[in-house]
Amino acid sequence: MRLLLFGPPGVGKGTQAKLLSQEFGVPHISTGDMLRASVADGTKFGEKAKAIMDAGQLVPDDIMVGIVRDVLGSPSVNKGFILDGFPRTIEQAKALTNILNNLHISDYNVVNLDVDDEAIVRRLTKRLMCLDDGKIYNSEIDGVTAGSPCPACGGRLVLRDDDKEETVRKRLSVYHSTTAPVLRYYQSQGRVMSVDGSGDIDEVYQKIKEMVGT
Ligand code: AMP
């Protein structure tokens, strides 16, 4: 299984990628998670990345391409991969094409998760993340609040700085101007399968599996 999960921020790429990764035993490569790990480690790079992420902007292409090139070059991806949150620009998409060509990988697909902007804003501003295990909750559905303990591990649940409404709207505008053209790039290669991402987690998961023929 080699998949690129595509769609606006908050559409559920991370959640679906984790499920696919567990069921099919292939690594979930999330560039957002990698950046958040650098932020949590308190590195100089992490500090810079946090400022960019909190502003709803994109981390420069050369940095992101370097990170993904290293991961895709490692033996952990021999059986496949689920790429989540990359590529987000045409430059990144072209770089990824080169990386995969060099690895002689040509069979991969793009799953595009589709949800309208207002639904995204409602979802993200209610999304809480555990600071310890990274699990995601919805304050309405799961009955948790910011600051309450994670039901799974007891860690603290927080609203991500980049999930504040103003930043979510900025991220959506960056998505439409910079990331949506990446979809057209892959559509022209006949790789895109679109899935309605507005249902519940399991419904969307089943639709993705049908699409990719598993
Ligand atoms: P995500 O968790 O995928 O929504 O990513 C959170 C934030 O990390 C994004 O809003 C960007 O600031 C940054 N980021 C993640 N992936 C990329 C990427 N491929 N290119 C540039 N910035 C990224």
Side-chain angles (χ1 to χ4, degrees), residues 128-130 133 135-138 142-145 148-157:
L128 298 173
M129 189 181 79
C130 173
D133 66 9
K135 284 214 170 74
I136 298 290
Y137 298 90
N138 178 296
D142 301 310
V144 289
T145 54
S148 62
C150 169
C153 78
R156 196 160 67 91
L157 298 181

Side-chain angles (χ1 to χ4, degrees), residues 31-32 35-36 53 57-59 64 85-86 88 92 160 162 171:
T31 46
L35 292 170
R36 282 184 287 280
M53 290 159 83
Q57 302 283 6
L58 295 180
V59 173
M64 298 314 301
F86 184 96
R88 264 176 154 98
Q92 292 180 14
R160 271 166 48 177
D162 60 346
R171 289 165 69 197

Side-chain angles (χ1 to χ4, degrees), residues 30-102:
S30 158
T31 46
D33 283 353
M34 288 180 195
L35 292 170
R36 282 184 287 280
S38 302
V39 174
D41 287 348
T43 61
K44 265 255 163 315
F45 167 67
E47 262 172 48
K48 282 190 198 153
K50 180 167 173 30
I52 295 171
M53 290 159 83
D54 287 353
Q57 302 283 6
L58 295 180
V59 173
D61 288 336
D62 53 342
I63 295 174
M64 298 314 301
V65 168
I67 292 175
V68 171
R69 181 182 287 115
D70 285 349
V71 183
L72 290 180
S74 78
S76 65
V77 300
N78 280 352
K79 277 176 62 191
F81 54 81
I82 315 283
L83 206 43
D84 156 19
F86 184 96
R88 264 176 154 98
T89 66
I90 288 286
E91 278 312 303
Q92 292 180 14
K94 289 183 176 162
L96 180 62
T97 300
N98 282 334
I99 294 169
L100 293 174
N101 282 346
N102 288 337

